[in-house]
Structure formats: structure tokens, C-alpha cells
Amino acid sequence: MNSLILAGKLGLSGAPVGAPGGGSNYANGGAYTETPGPNPPNVPVVQQIKNYLIKVNGAANPNAIYAVKSGDNDLNYPTSGAATPAYLQQSASALAAEVAILQGAGA
């Protein structure tokens, strides 16, 4: 929801990718950093970044605003017993690596 508020204040739509008329918001609520988590239809944040870079042929718009947020859902996932003790560290490392790739692509 915050991405929609920010987009609105900038005079943009913030519509999700794939929406009628197009959109540039790759986020989806309930996503985990690196895994689908307990909600397999959700696209993990690292995959959202990869999807964007595929869409732009690996050349990120240097004039765009990139808001990358993750972790809330990951905090609950290890307590479910579905993840290893190193899960949060692994997720943080994967997110940092993907953000570095995004930056290297021009963001």
C-alpha cells in the first residue's frame, strides 16, 4: 500500500505489473524475501527484482525511484518451524546481493 501512496504523490499510478493499462509496481503483499513461504502464489522479493530486470533487458532506469522492502513476513516464517536457524541471515544476504545487482544495472 505504501508504494501506491508514494506513486500517487508523484503523480504516478503505482498499478501492479500486468494490470489493465500496464503498471510498474512489481511488489505483492505477503511476499517473503527469498522463498514463497506458506503462500506459494506470492513472488519472493528477490524474484520481483529479477522479473523487473528481465523486463528492462538488464538496464534499470537511472531516473526511477526504487523502493525495496522486505523482512516482515520472514520474521514469522522461522517460528513456524519451516526454516533453518540461518534462514534470516540467508534471506538478508540474498536480498543484499539482488539489490547490488539492481544497482549495478543502473538503478
Side-chain angles (χ1 to χ4, degrees), residues 32 37-38 71-88:
Y32 288 72
D72 306 29
N73 296 316
D74 293 297
L75 289 173
N76 295 324
Y77 193 49
T79 61
S80 71
T84 66
Y87 173 77
L88 291 177

Side-chain angles (χ1 to χ4, degrees), residues 33-46:
T33 299
E34 192 178 24
T35 68
N39 305 312
N42 279 336
V43 179
V45 175
V46 294

Side-chain angles (χ1 to χ4, degrees), residues 6-53:
L6 176 61
K9 291 192 180 283
L10 297 173
L12 305 169
S13 75
V17 169
S24 59
N25 184 354
Y26 282 76
N28 65 274
Y32 288 72
T33 299
E34 192 178 24
T35 68
N39 305 312
N42 279 336
V43 179
V45 175
V46 294
Q47 187 62 50
Q48 293 170 23
I49 296 170
K50 290 176 195 289
N51 291 348
Y52 166 72
L53 289 173

Side-chain angles (χ1 to χ4, degrees), residues 55-77:
K55 174 78 172 177
V56 297
N57 297 317
N61 180 347
N63 298 311
I65 294 174
Y66 298 89
V68 179
K69 178 194 172 291
S70 189
D72 306 29
N73 296 316
D74 293 297
L75 289 173
N76 295 324
Y77 193 49

